Amino acid sequence: MGIFSHGLLFAHVIAGFISLVLFWVPVATRKGGVNHRKIGTWYVWGMWVVALSAFILSIENLIQGQINMAIFLGFLSLITARPLWLGIECLNSKKGVTPNYRIAHLGTSLLVAVAGAGLLFYGLSISSGFSVLMIIFGILGLTAAGEAVTLLKSGSGHAYKQWLDDHIANMCASGIAAHTAFLVFGARSFVSSVDSAVFSIAVWVTPSIIGVIGIEYAKRRFGSKRNLKRQRAAVVN
């Protein structure tokens, strides 16, 4: 590994660790407040460094002949970058869904769904340690097809009432990626004595399971339906 690769990996790790810490500031602070928006912006920039560096590292792995690692890392960079972008674009589309946003959202949803299908079938065709993870994350990628179908049914210019729910879901999804990376490449080194396939899979999927539960809780507590109820109550009073 050359100087460039070492530097890129170092930037990837540092940006990931910083993003991991920054993620919890918007979660803990007042939603929409100065700290929420300011630290949230720093978090987004940090995660972009993580996603882009992961993509470049996947290309390097491909050149070096590490096909399985290249494919898996490339897919992870894709599913990290997509919610990161969508989470911000939600805020820019509060007044209504624009044609450009709808097309971009549809395109990324189809891209992730196709990539997920490819990852799933590739995982089923190999017998390495990556196969189970590729199957799990391939199925996860296929869920984006549901978003694509919904977008195809809806027209441009309609009210975007669930923008807050989507912002919460996408930002939390990017946070899941950061915590997964920490568990897999960070915390795992402290428990190297545990060497089992079950543990390896657990550190990959546990953040996703906890994250999905957290997303649903956050949407119920801070989401658009709760805000709508507050607005109606304010009008009545």
Side-chain angles (χ1 to χ4, degrees):
M1 184 179 288
I3 296 177
F4 174 77
S5 299
H6 278 293
L8 188 63
L9 181 60
F10 180 78
H12 178 80
V13 172
I14 294 300
F17 178 76
I18 294 174
S19 298
L20 187 70
V21 176
L22 293 179
F23 172 80
W24 291 101
V25 178
V27 171
T29 55
R30 184 174 64 85
K31 305 303 173 280
V34 175
N35 290 330
H36 180 90
R37 289 183 282 112
K38 184 177 181 179
I39 304 301
T41 300
W42 293 351
Y43 164 76
V44 168
W45 280 111
M47 285 300 294
W48 272 119
V49 174
V50 171
L52 292 175
S53 59
F55 179 72
I56 297 174
L57 287 170
S58 71
I59 295 176
E60 183 179 47
N61 279 295
L62 183 62
I63 295 174
Q64 294 176 350
Q66 300 177 17
I67 307 300
N68 292 344
M69 176 61 79
I71 292 175
F72 192 58
L73 192 58
F75 182 77
L76 290 181
S77 66
L78 175 61
I79 62 174
T80 299
R82 179 175 177 270
L84 200 62
W85 176 77
L86 290 177
I88 297 302
E89 285 302 311
C90 291
L91 303 179
N92 298 329
S93 303
K94 295 179 183 180
K95 295 181 180 180
V97 178
T98 64
N100 289 338
Y101 174 68
R102 181 173 175 271
I103 292 173
H105 194 167
L106 177 61
T108 56
S109 297
L110 290 174
L111 177 61
V112 170
V114 171
L119 188 70
L120 172 61
F121 286 115
Y122 184 78
L124 290 170
S125 68
I126 63 175
S127 57
S128 72
F130 276 101
S131 60
V132 176
L133 290 175
M134 286 183 173
I135 292 171
I136 293 174
F137 279 83
I139 295 174
L140 179 64
L142 282 173
T143 60
E147 291 186 43
V149 172
T150 301
L151 287 166
L152 285 171
K153 291 181 179 180
S154 64
S156 301
H158 69 278
Y160 191 13
K161 296 180 180 179
Q162 76 277 13
W163 65 266
L164 183 55
D165 292 341
D166 288 349
H167 173 69
I168 292 172
N170 283 296
M171 287 293 97
C172 288
S174 66
I176 290 173
H179 285 77
T180 300
F182 171 76
L183 283 176
V184 173
F185 300 107
R188 188 179 179 185
S189 62
F190 295 104
V191 287
S192 55
S193 59
V194 180
D195 186 17
S196 67
V198 174
F199 177 77
S200 298
I201 295 173
V203 295
W204 277 102
V205 302
T206 299
S208 296
I209 295 174
I210 296 176
V212 169
I213 297 173
I215 288 172
E216 291 305 313
Y217 170 77
K219 286 166 66 174
R220 290 177 180 275
R221 183 173 181 182
F222 306 109
S224 56
K225 289 183 179 180
R226 182 178 178 88
N227 282 353
L228 182 60
K229 290 180 180 179
R230 288 179 176 177
Q231 293 174 5
R232 289 175 176 173
V235 172
V236 173
N237 295 332

